[in-house]
């Protein structure tokens, strides 16, 4: 929340609106890259008690999410090409679109299913801390607008890597 207040004040209303527009469009394609697999996975993991079966289920769902993410990204590129917006907004959309890929590796649903919510809390704190820290350090005016989606991507890569580490700690080596 503090990062958005800082961005709104630093970038100005017009640029902040461009960011919000880009993020709002991204959300639709993130839904396409997920298709309810998080909820389905959580439910099945909660029922399953065998560790090997749990591991296999998480790997299959993450693999499917990677392919859906690729599919969603292709549609996202088509959307960017077809949308009648200025080039600056198209570039923001493109940069934001790359965050679809680390989202496939968010395993908050898996840790919710096995009732290890502390990992989810750490991931959220990590994501927000990386985003806020980088925004405060790097964004000093409206001329830095294009850096915000890049920071957004890195802020999503950090918890994705954390979830991969946590998965390997509890289930062993991960394979797609």
């Amino acid at each position: 929340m503090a990062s958005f207040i800082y961005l709104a004040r630093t970038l100005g209303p017009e640029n902040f609106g461009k960011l919000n527009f880009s993020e709002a469009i991204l959300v639709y394609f993130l839904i396409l890259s997920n298709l309810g697999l998080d909820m389905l996975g959580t439910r099945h993991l909660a029922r399953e008690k065998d560790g090997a079966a749990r591991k296999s289920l998480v790997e299959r769902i993450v693999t499917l999410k990677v392919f859906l993410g690729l599919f969603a990204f292709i549609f996202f590129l088509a959307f960017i090409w077809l949308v009648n917006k200025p080039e600056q907004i198209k570039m923001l959309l493109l940069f934001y679109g790359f965050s679809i890929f680390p989202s496939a590796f968010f395993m908050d649903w898996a840790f919710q299913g096995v009732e290890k919510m502390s990992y989810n809390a750490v991931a959220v704190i990590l994501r927000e801390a990386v985003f806020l820290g980088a925004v405060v350090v790097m964004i000093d005016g409206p001329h830095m607008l294009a850096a915000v989606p890049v920071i957004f991507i890195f802020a999503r890569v950090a918890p994705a890597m954390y979830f991969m580490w946590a998965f390997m700690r509890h289930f062993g080596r991960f394979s797609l």
Side-chain angles (χ1 to χ4, degrees):
M1 186 65 158
S3 57
F4 291 108
I5 294 169
Y6 179 81
L7 284 172
R9 290 184 57 95
T10 306
L11 297 175
E14 183 179 343
N15 286 335
F16 190 66
K18 291 174 184 176
L19 284 180
N20 284 325
F21 172 79
S22 301
E23 283 188 42
I25 297 299
L26 173 68
V27 168
Y28 290 106
F29 290 92
L30 285 173
I31 291 169
L32 181 62
S33 73
N34 189 349
L35 292 180
L37 287 173
D38 291 356
M39 241 186 285
L40 183 69
T42 300
R43 187 179 72 202
H44 285 288
L45 279 173
R47 289 182 188 164
E48 186 62 57
K49 299 301 177 202
D50 179 45
R54 282 181 165 176
K55 178 181 187 249
S56 174
L57 179 65
V58 172
E59 290 173 339
R60 285 183 285 149
I61 289 177
V62 170
T63 301
L64 186 54
K65 285 177 69 172
V66 168
F67 284 114
L68 285 172
L70 183 60
F71 181 70
F73 186 72
I74 290 168
F75 273 122
F76 195 68
L77 290 176
F79 173 81
I80 293 169
W81 185 64
L82 293 172
V83 71
N84 186 18
K85 292 289 181 185
E87 288 300 313
Q88 185 182 35
I89 291 179
K90 287 185 175 191
M91 288 306 295
L92 287 173
L93 285 167
L94 178 63
F95 289 153
Y96 271 114
F98 286 111
S99 68
I100 291 172
F101 297 111
S103 298
F105 293 95
F106 279 17
M107 291 185 234
D108 52 339
W109 56 273
F111 290 101
Q112 184 176 355
V114 296
E115 298 177 2
K116 301 219 180 271
M117 297 299 292
S118 60
Y119 290 102
N120 295 356
V122 170
V124 168
I125 291 168
L126 179 63
R127 183 185 69 217
E128 296 304 321
V130 167
F131 188 70
L132 176 62
V135 160
V136 169
V137 168
M138 296 178 67
I139 308 299
D140 60 358
H143 65 283
M144 295 298 293
L145 176 65
V148 176
V150 175
I151 293 168
F152 184 82
I153 293 168
F154 285 110
R156 294 185 74 81
V157 167
M161 291 174 49
Y162 172 73
F163 278 130
M164 290 301 294
W165 170 82
F167 176 87
M168 289 188 283
R169 183 172 179 232
H170 282 281
F171 297 106
R173 193 173 143 260
F174 182 87
S175 62
L176 287 176

